[in-house]
Amino acid sequence: QSVLTQPPSVSAAPGQKVTISCSGVSSNIGNNYVSWYQQLPGTAPKLLIYDNNERPSGIPDRFSGSKSGTSATLGITGLQTGDEADYYCETWDTSLSAGVFGGGTKLTVL
Amino acid sequence: EVQLVESGGGLVQPGRSLRLSCTVSGFTFGDFTMSWVRQAPGKGLEWVGLIRSKTYGGVIQYAASVKGRFTISRDDSKSIAYLQMNTLKTEDTAVYYCTREKGTYGDRGSDHWGQGTLVTVSS
């Protein structure tokens, strides 16, 4: 059971938009930055979003992040088949003094 | 180019020990907090622990699932981070990733990851 809650799967058609939610509590998302990662099959995760809504260089603006209260959301627009991957949220949990991940969301581009 | 390369994985019996290494290049290793993250086969990511830079006291923090059994250390002169794993359990079977943290406190994401090394704990 993960500390952060994500939907197990989401799907949408090419060109469409999808959002992935990540729910936590005050000791984690509520008071810390959220990061998002993309993990393509058989590869290491890649940072997509940090500090809730910032993109590292090289990440297209089709990817966006937001946070409100104890929840965060990853948005992906203009879906491509190459976006099919597992997506994870991460934050710090002040009560646990540890990093915590969501359980991951598998994105299918139909 | 930033590179992180894990090594030391393999097959080990329950109760035994293993040490993983993460050799880095392309940045000043001593300036960064380094983390370990693992992924059991077919499962999600699990944070294992981190070690801050000496500038920030070299503080080490662990996940509850490994505390007391795993030890993280670093050798800034060699640009290597280590994960010493003792009293291994079958549930420690996973791909172990070394990561570079963007922030000091482990709260700003990992912007670089190694390719991972597989640890299999089995009799």
Side-chain angles (χ1 to χ4, degrees):
Chain A
Q1 200 80 341
S2 301
V3 173
L4 305 179
T5 301
Q6 297 181 233
S9 63
V10 296
S11 62
Q16 297 299 304
K17 173 182 177 178
V18 71
T19 60
I20 298 173
S21 62
C22 177
S23 177
V25 297
S26 60
S27 63
N28 44 60
I29 292 179
N31 283 284
N32 292 289
Y33 288 124
V34 176
S35 304
W36 289 91
Y37 301 90
Q38 176 193 62
Q39 186 176 34
L40 297 169
T43 69
K46 179 173 76 173
L47 182 65
L48 285 180
I49 298 289
Y50 67 97
D51 291 359
N52 302 330
N53 55 19
E54 298 292 330
R55 287 186 309 276
S57 61
I59 301 300
D61 59 6
R62 300 190 299 109
F63 295 90
S64 64
S66 64
K67 189 182 97 166
S68 178
T70 59
S71 293
T73 301
L74 173 69
I76 311 173
T77 59
L79 278 171
Q80 304 171 1
T81 55
D83 295 332
E84 286 203 334
D86 293 322
Y87 292 84
Y88 295 90
C89 58
E90 182 200 19
T91 188
W92 187 257
D93 192 298
T94 307
S95 294
L96 298 175
S97 292
V100 289
F101 282 96
T105 299
K106 183 176 182 60
L107 169 63
T108 301
V109 181
L110 302 169
Chain B
E1 180 191 6
V2 172
Q3 285 194 316
L4 293 78
V5 179
E6 301 94 340
S7 59
L11 175 63
V12 60
Q13 293 179 327
R16 304 297 289 263
S17 299
L18 203 62
R19 188 178 80 161
L20 306 183
S21 299
C22 172
T23 304
V24 316
S25 59
F27 65 97
T28 304
F29 177 73
D31 289 347
F32 286 86
T33 293
M34 302 298 294
S35 291
W36 289 91
V37 175
R38 68 183 180 181
Q39 186 170 35
K43 302 298 185 183
L45 301 174
E46 180 186 12
W47 186 86
V48 173
L50 63 74
I51 182 166
R52 294 186 196 158
S53 68
K54 296 257 188 321
T55 302
Y56 290 91
V59 172
I60 306 169
Q61 291 171 296
Y62 299 98
S65 58
V66 306
K67 199 168 187 177
R69 299 188 299 122
F70 289 13
T71 302
I72 297 173
S73 61
R74 63 191 298 156
D75 185 335
D76 290 353
S77 68
K78 296 181 179 178
S79 296
I80 300 177
Y82 298 101
L83 179 64
Q84 176 69 43
M85 304 183 293
N86 297 332
T87 318
L88 281 161
K89 306 176 182 180
T90 55
E91 52 263 42
D92 295 318
T93 294
V95 173
Y96 284 75
Y97 295 102
C98 168
T99 87
R100 187 185 85 167
E101 292 281 344
K102 280 188 65 63
T104 299
Y105 301 101
D107 61 342
R108 300 188 65 202
S110 292
D111 59 356
H112 290 279
W113 294 62
Q115 84 287 352
T117 187
L118 176 62
V119 173
T120 303
V121 184
S122 174
S123 54

